[in-house]
Amino acid sequence: MVSDTAVSAGILLLRVVVGFVIAAHGYNKFFGGGRIPGTAGWFDSIGMRPGLLHARLAATTEIGSGILLAMGLLTPLAGAAIVALMLVAGYTVHRGSGFFVNANGWEYNVVLAVVGVSVSITGAGRWSIDNLVGIDHTLSGWLGFAISVVLGLIAGIAQLALFFRPSATAGR
């Protein structure tokens, strides 16, 4: 049987690495390449309108959810945000390219979303802020699953329903 210390160390490693990967995507939208104006133009081009709003929302949500996941703070809410982000990204950008990431498919989106849900189910572990303040066991298990999946799907579907308006010539 694996010790509680080993499980907590594994969850910590997963949270920190994936959290910082997600936060880095948001940081890059703010400070890399075309910054927010370039990201806004790209969002407009894929049909997420208004692009400027979605560039700011996506960047902020990526940074926020990534940091929350890495710290193990309100972990199921971080998981829900990651599920929503990956649902929108998978649908708007990757769905027409098949599964594999090397062909611009949705493989990577699924992995990140499943990590968000999985850590929400297991709890953030011993070395987390959720544990420090005594809410890790309260927010994990089926409740963590429900928060991360249901809230994440509702948020992602709502965003797509309200704002995804691709042009008739998109993708040509």
Side-chain angles (χ1 to χ4, degrees), residues 3-95:
S3 72
D4 288 342
T5 301
V7 171
S8 287
I11 294 170
L12 174 68
L13 179 63
L14 186 64
R15 281 191 298 105
V16 169
V17 171
V18 172
F20 281 123
V21 165
I22 292 168
H25 278 267
Y27 180 88
N28 191 54
K29 284 177 177 66
F30 276 121
F31 303 108
R35 299 181 183 244
I36 289 295
T39 303
W42 179 75
F43 270 103
D44 277 327
S45 78
I46 64 168
M48 287 304 293
R49 297 191 175 94
L52 184 59
L53 171 68
H54 291 287
R56 289 178 177 150
L57 286 174
T60 302
T61 304
E62 287 170 346
I63 291 171
S65 64
I67 290 171
L68 288 175
L69 185 67
M71 294 186 330
L73 175 59
L74 302 173
T75 304
L77 294 178
I82 294 165
V83 167
L85 285 163
M86 294 304 109
L87 173 63
V88 172
Y91 189 81
T92 59
V93 179
H94 304 285
R95 75 182 151 99

Side-chain angles (χ1 to χ4, degrees), residues 65-148:
S65 64
I67 290 171
L68 288 175
L69 185 67
M71 294 186 330
L73 175 59
L74 302 173
T75 304
L77 294 178
I82 294 165
V83 167
L85 285 163
M86 294 304 109
L87 173 63
V88 172
Y91 189 81
T92 59
V93 179
H94 304 285
R95 75 182 151 99
S97 300
F99 176 71
F100 295 104
V101 72
N102 64 330
N104 199 36
W106 44 271
E107 171 184 16
Y108 183 65
N109 305 108
V110 168
V111 170
L112 292 179
V114 168
V115 168
V117 173
S118 296
V119 176
S120 297
I121 293 169
T122 63
R126 182 185 309 167
W127 301 305
S128 68
I129 295 177
D130 284 352
N131 186 61
L132 182 68
V133 299
I135 61 172
D136 191 40
H137 294 294
T138 304
L139 291 179
S140 60
W142 286 110
L143 181 59
F145 173 82
I147 291 169
S148 62

